[in-house]
Amino acid sequence: MAELQEVQITEEKPLLPGQTPEAAKTHSVETPYGSVTFTVYGTPKPKRPAILTYHDVGLNYKSCFQPLFQFGDMQEIIQNFVRVHVDAPGMEEGAPVFPLGYQYPSLDQLADMIPCVLQYLNFSTVIGVGVGAGAYILSRYALNHPDTVEGLVLINIDPNAKGWMDWAAHKLTGLTSSIPEMILGHLFSQEELSGNSELIQKYRNIITHAPNLDNIELYWNSYNNRRDLNFERGGDITLKCPVMLVVGDQAPHEDAVMADSGGQPQLTQPGKLTEAFKYFLQGMGYMASSCMTRLSRSRTASLTSAASIDGNRSRSRTLSQSSESGTLSSGPPGHTMEVSC
Ligand code: BEZ
């Protein structure tokens, strides 16, 4: 009998004819660590934070976030917020290649560039949405500037520095793999890569033929040289804001999920992520439940709340239910909500 194979289907729901994307404006500002480019969509809304995104290695804000922010159901959320999409230096479209010997900022320095962006825009608080390296950068920023971060959505974060085993594995892989293949191995699971779906072909093509591949390698090196975020359960080093942790369920086991899940749920599961984001914002008091579409109320979600994120990756799962009853909420302020996509 033929074996049944699990096939990953990318959720698609394009904008409706009336839902045209809002105009974007791209800016650059000088910071102590070089200039940084960011793109603003929408207009500031009184008494609301901006949504600020930071993308992963090998991507820029568009290749990382466009499928999520242009997902049909996402529009009812984002129309209520101005969005600031930061491109890591040298990752913006048309970026020139840095000269040989250019000292690329560390992830901590990339986090230290964010206050210049907010100052330039005169924005006081944000809800951060970061993927991989971007999730690390936004967490570092939130640890340093807790009063300016109202919430964080962290997709596939690895809060730890590479251990010596990881380094050995990385060095060995480097002997046989190209930089694009290593980065693809960071972004996607082996199962996804060997499945070679249209999505994988698209991102393999983008990364392999990137005119700024040398810059991408510099961001990749900074990511691999990150230090521990040193979250401490109940200690001084904790995120003070509500956190929505998102992990790809492509990972073979839970420890690896937290470490480097592979899979880009913001590309493949924008619907599920949109729904979870809506509950998260609702928990923060920003989305009235009446705003929720019938569709999102009747979809089945699998959401789990957790007590904290820390270096030991311990999580207490307390909630896993269907949203059919419309009772799912992301819990009290200061909470962490965990979503597996
Ligand atoms: C936005 O509406 O925020 C957006 C649009 C296109 C790409 C990324 C974000």
Side-chain angles (χ1 to χ4, degrees):
M1 202 169 75
E3 258 184 57
L4 279 181
Q5 281 205 326
E6 214 175 284
V7 179
Q8 178 144 26
I9 298 169
T10 300
E11 294 178 320
E12 280 185 41
K13 185 168 186 187
L15 298 181
L16 297 170
Q19 294 176 311
T20 44
E22 282 173 285
K25 195 158 172 18
T26 300
H27 312 258
S28 290
V29 284
E30 280 308 317
T31 80
Y33 307 104
S35 96
V36 64
T37 300
F38 50 92
T39 304
V40 181
Y41 286 78
T43 49
K45 305 291 182 285
K47 301 211 179 107
R48 278 177 187 261
I51 292 175
L52 182 139
T53 71
Y54 217 115
H55 62 85
D56 204 353
V57 177
L59 307 174
N60 57 26
Y61 92 85
K62 252 193 204 162
S63 54
C64 191
F65 291 110
Q66 185 155 302
L68 176 63
F69 282 79
Q70 292 202 331
F71 189 74
D73 290 349
M74 188 68 164
Q75 306 315 302
E76 68 181 283
I77 298 180
I78 62 174
Q79 71 191 6
N80 296 301
F81 297 89
V82 63
R83 285 90 66 199
V84 185
H85 302 286
V86 180
D87 276 321
M91 306 305 139
E92 66 275 15
E93 269 173 13
V97 173
F98 290 121
L100 214 64
Y102 173 77
Q103 181 69 48
Y104 198 79
S106 66
L107 293 200
D108 291 358
Q109 291 171 332
L110 292 174
D112 284 341
M113 295 166 120
I114 294 173
C116 301
V117 173
L118 298 186
Q119 220 165 46
Y120 177 92
L121 293 168
N122 205 16
F123 291 169
S124 48
T125 63
V126 298
I127 293 171
V129 181
V131 184
Y136 179 106
I137 291 165
L138 292 182
S139 301
R140 173 69 71 202
Y141 172 73
L143 289 173
N144 293 344
H145 302 272
D147 295 345
T148 68
V149 183
E150 294 196 30
L152 277 179
V153 177
L154 304 176
I155 303 172
N156 293 342
I157 186 170
D158 184 348
N160 298 316
K162 272 187 182 305
W164 69 267
M165 286 279 279
D166 298 325
W167 267 115
H170 180 72
K171 288 284 166 217
L172 274 178
T173 316
L175 294 176
T176 52
S177 309
S178 62
I179 293 291
E181 284 306 318
M182 287 185 22
I183 293 172
L184 285 163
H186 159 77
L187 296 173
F188 299 100
S189 67
Q190 281 314 310
E191 197 183 325
E192 286 173 297
L193 290 172
S194 45
N196 203 25
S197 63
E198 254 180 51
L199 179 97
I200 296 295
Q201 289 174 40
K202 174 178 164 189
Y203 280 83
R204 180 171 274 132
N205 192 41
I206 290 176
I207 296 172
T208 310
H209 298 113
N212 61 340
L213 188 55
D214 290 351
N215 297 351
I216 294 176
E217 184 174 354
L218 296 176
Y219 187 22
W220 176 233
N221 292 340
S222 287
Y223 178 67
N224 288 311
N225 286 319
R226 70 192 179 278
R227 60 191 181 104
D228 278 348
L229 279 173
N230 275 326
F231 290 129
E232 282 173 16
R233 191 183 270 263
D236 287 342
I237 309 175
T238 54
L239 293 169
K240 304 284 190 276
C241 61
V243 176
M244 175 172 137
L245 264 185
V246 183
V247 293
D249 66 2
Q250 283 289 316
H253 51 82
E254 280 204 316
D255 263 7
V257 169
M258 276 299 283
D260 233 341
S261 75
Q264 298 287 304
Q266 81 286 4
L267 304 180
T268 56
Q269 309 265 3
K272 200 167 175 185
L273 214 50
T274 298
E275 186 183 16
F277 189 38
K278 214 181 275 187
Y279 288 124
F280 182 64
L281 292 171
Q282 204 188 0
M284 294 171 64
Y286 283 120
M287 295 283 295
S289 55
S290 58
C291 280
M292 292 210 278
T293 55
R294 228 158 53 80
L295 173 77
S296 69
R297 268 187 263 131
S298 65
R299 270 166 144 241
T300 299
S302 170
L303 307 180
T304 336
S305 80
S308 74
I309 63 171
D310 59 33
N312 295 326
R313 300 171 192 168
S314 53
R315 283 173 282 162
S316 78
R317 299 189 156 213
T318 56
L319 175 67
S320 181
Q321 63 183 87
S322 149
S323 61
E324 252 153 16
S325 60
T327 55
L328 257 185
S329 91
S330 52
H335 61 285
T336 301
M337 164 179 159
E338 190 177 311
V339 181
S340 149
C341 287

